[in-house]
């Protein structure tokens, strides 16, 4: 069966919801397709807050400069300026929609300090900010009456004469494959965290939107720039918000020393995430950690503050690590968190493929460059989600549209049935996925070097060979999560290769990309983005310069 809409948004997190709302306000027929129910989207996991220069004495220029510096000068400054300029109105809009932001003792919106910021400009809802925003955005979506295809898995984009005309998607409840025709498609499907193990990301974060866009001809950019969050919980990898350090929590090594005084004497624990992660990993590598971890110490903050502002991480630490952060330091270590790279877009969300747009964590307009500042990710979703939705709607309004063909549906059905019919040769998606994740963290981690990156390339080649023999044990149709895991695995392997190729290509250290064999930043040769285009034989590499408007690269210290 073929469904028809003017604009189709793939993904129902904050970027997807905001894109859909914006597109519908332009008077076109809009729908969302999501592999999970919208309020289960990974935007739920954002804890700490959202940035805006709303405070007295703060300016958008200050916010923009902090973001440029945080990006290690790889961020495109035109896009960063838009982010910082539009942030105050975006936050006020969310508040007017009903987001119950935490307030200070005077009743005004409260702020907390976040890493890499020159002043407190992070607005928050305790340590559940993403969840609060997602619920309110969903209310707006329901109120709009917009069509939602919930628990549908998009397998591929459909092109006609090099233009996107829709998608193919499996309705999980029936197992049926359908075509959804759209004049414009917005990819807002989130990140790719489960390419790495462990990760702060939910199991659903498998990079599906990035991968299907990549294989359809869209360029990927800055894929070597993968962020490790400094405070992830030992064992599970669960995120413990940067908001804890914003409220005054310390990092300690085995001797009880606040080691950040050496790496970032001015900002200490509130240096940018790449700086803090490297400092932690150095402590661990040089034997000053405990069992591969350092400690996050919240005890001095007191029970009242912890339970009021940090209640979720108190619960996480207690349930997953058996540590009461009111009484004891909790073991943490750098863990994979966020891709700064993604589908290359302009400032309107447009990609290199006509009819295709992208926003949020799946996209790379390059506001984050080499390192994302905490609390800029939620801001990215609402600002660039809106801009992508508006641009997609404007384009769709002027097009006649073309249906997804029956032959495209039949070809995809045959491809999927071939996966289901594979004989059992002892290869399973979970094992290939695990080997990939461990290999990526080992070789594309906080510190990288040529030998490890080449070994990673060999591993991924082997895993792609094993993938061709992966077995689907479940032959049923209804909620066949075994089949979905195999489809997800192909997406993750393609993205893992993109990370490995670009990390090997960039022979310098910048932001989250730290090469021990090339320890210095090299602006002469590497003040540029790396772009990839999909090829069956391996990614094709090209380059584009960084857009600089008013802030020339400087030595980056905290």
């Amino acid at each position: 069966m073929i469904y028809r809409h003017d604009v189709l948004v793939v993904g129902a997190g904050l970027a997807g919801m905001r894109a859909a709302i914006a597109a519908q306000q332009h008077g076109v027929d809009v729908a969302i397709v999501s592999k999970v129910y919208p309020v289960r989207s990974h935007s739920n996991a954002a804890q700490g807050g959202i940035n805006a220069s709303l405070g007295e004495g703060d300016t958008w220029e200050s916010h923009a400069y902090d973001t440029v510096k945080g990006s290690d000068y790889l961020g495109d400054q035109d896009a960063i300026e838009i982010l910082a300029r539009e942030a105050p109105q975006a936050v006020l809009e969310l508040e007017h929609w009903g987001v119950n932001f935490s307030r200070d003792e005077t009743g005004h919106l409260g702020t907390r300090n976040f890493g890499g910021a020159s002043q407190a400009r992070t607005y928050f809802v305790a340590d559940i900010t993403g969840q609060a925003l997602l619920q309110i955005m969903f209310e707006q979506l329901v109120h709009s009456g917009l069509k939602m295809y919930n628990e549908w898995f998009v397998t591929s984009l459909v092109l006609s004469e090099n233009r996107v005309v829709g998608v193919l998607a499996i309705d999980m409840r029936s197992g049926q494959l359908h075509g959804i025709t759209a004049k414009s498609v917005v990819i807002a499907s989130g990140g790719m965290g489960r390419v790495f193990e462990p990760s702060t990301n939910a199991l659903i974060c498998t990079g599906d939107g990035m991968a299907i866009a990549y294989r359809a001809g869209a360029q990927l950019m800055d894929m070597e720039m993968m962020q490790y969050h400094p405070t992830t919980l030992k064992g599970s990898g669960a995120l413990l918000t940067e908001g804890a350090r914003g409220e005054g929590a310390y990092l300690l090594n085995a001797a009880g020393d606040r080691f950040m005084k050496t790496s970032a004497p001015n900002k200490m624990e509130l240096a940018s995430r790449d700086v803090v992660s490297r400092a932690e990993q150095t402590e661990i590598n040089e034997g000053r950690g405990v069992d591969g971890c350092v400690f996050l110490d919240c005890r001095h903050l007191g029970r009242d503050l912890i339970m009021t502002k940090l209640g979720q991480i108190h619960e996480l630490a207690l349930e997953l690590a058996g540590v009461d952060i009111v009484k004891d330091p909790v073991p943490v270590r750098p863990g994979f968190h966020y891709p700064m790279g993604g589908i290359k877009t302009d400032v309107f969300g447009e990609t290199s493929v006509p009819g295709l747009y992208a926003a949020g964590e799946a996209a790379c307009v390059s506001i984050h460059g080499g390192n994302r500042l905490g609390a800029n990710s939620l801001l990215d979703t609402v600002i660039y989600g809106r801009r992508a939705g508006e641009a997609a709607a404007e384009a769709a309004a002027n097009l006649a549209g073309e249906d997804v063909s029956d032959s495209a549906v039949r070809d995809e059905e045959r491809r999927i049935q071939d996966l289901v019919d594979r004989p059992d040769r002892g290869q399973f998606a979970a094992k290939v996925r695990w080997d990939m994740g461990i290999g990526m963290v080992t070789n594309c981690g906080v510190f990288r070097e040529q030998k490890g990156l080449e070994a990673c390339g060999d591993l991924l080649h082997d895993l792609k060979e094993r993938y061709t023999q992966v077995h689907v044990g479940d032959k049923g149709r209804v909620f066949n999560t075994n089949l979905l895991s195999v489809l997800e695995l192909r997406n993750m392997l393609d993205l893992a290769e993109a990370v490995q190729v670009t990390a090997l290509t960039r022979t310098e250290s910048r932001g989250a990309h730290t090469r021990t064999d090339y320890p210095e930043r090299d602006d002469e040769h590497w003040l540029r983005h790396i772009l990839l285009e999909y090829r069956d034989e391996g990614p094709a590499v090209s380059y584009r310069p960084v857009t600089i408007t008013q802030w020339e690269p400087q030595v980056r210290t905290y």
Side-chain angles (χ1 to χ4, degrees):
M1 184 172 180
I2 306 294
Y3 299 86
R4 296 173 181 84
H5 301 280
D6 293 326
V7 175
L8 182 69
V9 179
V10 179
L14 284 172
M17 288 188 191
R18 191 65 188 88
I21 291 168
Q24 190 180 52
Q25 288 172 341
H26 277 62
V28 297
D29 177 23
V30 185
I32 287 180
V33 56
S34 173
K35 75 175 181 180
V36 297
Y37 196 72
V39 291
R40 291 187 59 231
S41 299
H42 190 61
S43 298
N44 265 315
Q47 297 170 343
I50 181 170
N51 288 333
S53 56
L54 278 166
E56 185 177 351
D58 201 359
T59 65
W60 74 262
E61 291 93 345
S62 175
H63 182 188
Y65 170 70
D66 289 344
T67 302
V68 170
K69 179 181 176 182
S71 78
D72 213 350
Y73 297 91
L74 190 67
D76 284 332
Q77 294 179 20
D78 56 342
I80 291 171
E81 288 185 8
I82 289 169
L83 184 84
R85 283 179 185 271
E86 297 186 3
Q89 183 57 42
V91 170
L92 290 176
E93 179 178 57
L94 291 168
E95 199 269 342
H96 293 163
W97 281 356
V99 176
N100 189 22
F101 286 107
S102 297
R103 295 181 178 267
D104 61 23
E105 59 278 1
T106 69
H108 293 87
L109 295 182
T111 59
R112 58 171 41 133
N113 289 298
F114 246 56
S118 54
Q119 56 186 293
R121 64 168 65 95
T122 301
Y123 295 86
F124 62 98
V125 183
D127 57 351
I128 58 167
T129 310
Q131 181 180 343
L133 269 59
L134 193 68
Q135 296 289 338
I136 292 297
M137 195 81 76
F138 186 59
E139 290 178 7
Q140 297 293 318
L141 209 62
V142 172
H143 177 71
S144 73
L146 188 143
K147 173 67 177 176
M148 289 179 275
Y149 298 91
N150 296 328
E151 297 178 323
W152 285 46
F153 184 90
V154 176
T155 63
S156 63
L157 293 164
V158 181
L159 278 70
S160 176
E161 297 182 354
N162 295 320
R163 181 179 183 85
V164 170
V165 296
V167 306
L168 300 173
I170 298 171
D171 177 357
M172 298 182 199
R173 283 167 287 188
S174 67
Q176 294 294 318
L177 182 77
H178 300 281
I180 307 177
T181 292
K183 300 173 185 177
S184 300
V185 173
V186 181
I187 300 292
S189 54
M192 48 172 280
R194 284 298 163 178
V195 169
F196 298 76
E197 291 292 345
S199 167
T200 65
N201 287 199
L203 294 175
I204 62 173
C205 297
T206 53
D208 308 312
M210 285 189 206
I212 64 172
Y214 179 41
R215 290 195 294 269
Q219 294 177 319
L220 299 181
M221 189 168 82
D222 295 346
M223 290 299 289
E224 71 277 22
M225 297 302 177
M226 297 284 127
Q227 183 168 84
Y228 283 75
H229 195 287
T231 52
T232 74
L233 195 58
K234 176 186 175 182
S236 66
L239 178 67
L240 300 184
T241 178
E242 190 170 320
R245 286 173 282 137
E247 299 294 343
Y250 305 148
L251 290 170
L252 304 175
N253 62 17
D257 293 331
R258 287 182 67 184
F259 54 87
M260 288 306 302
K261 63 180 180 288
T262 302
S263 302
N266 295 320
K267 298 295 288 185
M268 296 288 282
E269 285 84 4
L270 288 174
S272 63
R273 288 176 176 176
D274 60 319
V275 172
V276 180
S277 291
R278 281 193 294 273
E280 288 182 348
Q281 196 64 53
T282 298
E283 294 296 303
I284 293 165
N285 291 351
E286 295 182 357
R288 294 184 293 276
V290 176
D291 193 22
C293 296
V294 294
F295 294 100
L296 178 68
D297 191 353
C298 302
R299 291 174 295 178
H300 56 285
L301 301 180
R303 174 176 289 275
D304 288 347
L305 185 148
I306 288 171
M307 300 311 292
T308 300
K309 295 184 176 181
L310 303 171
Q312 181 176 206
I313 70 165
H314 176 268
E315 181 180 357
L316 286 170
L318 194 60
E319 290 190 357
L320 300 179
V323 176
D324 184 347
I325 64 173
V326 173
K327 300 176 181 178
D328 296 297
V330 61
V332 296
R333 63 183 181 185
F336 181 80
H337 183 54
Y338 187 96
M340 275 72 72
I343 305 165
K344 169 70 180 78
T345 75
D346 64 13
V347 296
F348 301 103
E350 192 167 2
T351 74
S352 55
V353 178
L356 184 64
Y357 299 78
E361 198 169 343
C364 181
V365 67
S366 199
I367 52 177
H368 307 307
N371 173 73
R372 177 176 66 78
L373 293 190
N376 269 353
S377 56
L378 290 180
L379 185 61
D380 178 11
T381 66
V382 295
I383 288 178
Y384 281 101
R386 173 182 57 76
R387 293 174 71 89
E390 291 172 346
E394 289 170 2
N398 299 314
L399 289 174
E402 179 180 342
D403 273 352
V404 172
S405 67
D406 291 336
S407 63
V409 177
R410 288 194 299 269
D411 289 346
E412 189 75 340
E413 285 175 335
R414 281 195 293 269
R415 182 180 76 84
I416 292 170
Q417 191 61 47
D418 286 345
L419 289 178
V420 175
D421 292 342
R422 282 178 181 172
D424 183 357
R425 295 191 176 96
Q427 293 293 338
F428 299 97
K431 183 62 168 69
V432 175
R433 178 169 168 166
W434 180 258
D435 290 347
M436 170 191 65
I438 295 299
M440 291 298 289
V441 165
T442 301
N443 298 301
C444 294
V446 175
F447 294 110
R448 307 165 176 183
E449 46 83 31
Q450 183 164 336
K451 182 178 179 181
L453 291 169
E454 289 174 344
C456 188
D458 293 339
L459 171 66
L460 292 173
H461 181 268
D462 176 61
L463 293 177
K464 284 196 165 189
E465 287 295 314
R466 287 168 57 188
Y467 177 78
T468 64
Q469 301 181 29
V470 164
H471 176 58
V472 180
D474 184 353
K475 308 301 182 182
R477 302 184 74 91
V478 178
F479 272 98
N480 189 339
T481 54
N482 186 189
L483 171 61
L484 297 184
S485 71
V486 175
L487 295 170
E488 289 172 335
L489 180 57
R490 180 193 180 193
N491 295 333
M492 290 191 285
L493 286 168
D494 283 344
L495 297 177
E497 180 183 50
V499 174
Q500 181 269 336
V501 166
T502 50
L504 188 60
T505 300
R506 184 174 288 274
T507 53
E508 66 157 357
S509 291
R510 184 185 298 269
H513 174 71
T514 303
R515 292 278 300 258
T516 56
D517 46 352
Y518 296 94
E520 301 300 321
R521 194 179 81 189
D522 181 1
D523 290 340
E524 181 181 356
H525 298 101
W526 285 111
L527 191 61
R528 56 179 176 166
H529 303 288
I530 301 176
L531 293 91
L532 297 181
E533 293 184 19
Y534 182 82
R535 299 286 188 275
D536 289 337
E537 64 275 15
V541 176
S542 60
Y543 307 93
R544 67 175 292 271
V546 174
T547 301
I548 296 175
T549 59
Q550 55 181 306
W551 296 287
E552 293 294 331
Q554 300 175 14
V555 175
R556 180 169 170 255
T557 60
Y558 289 97

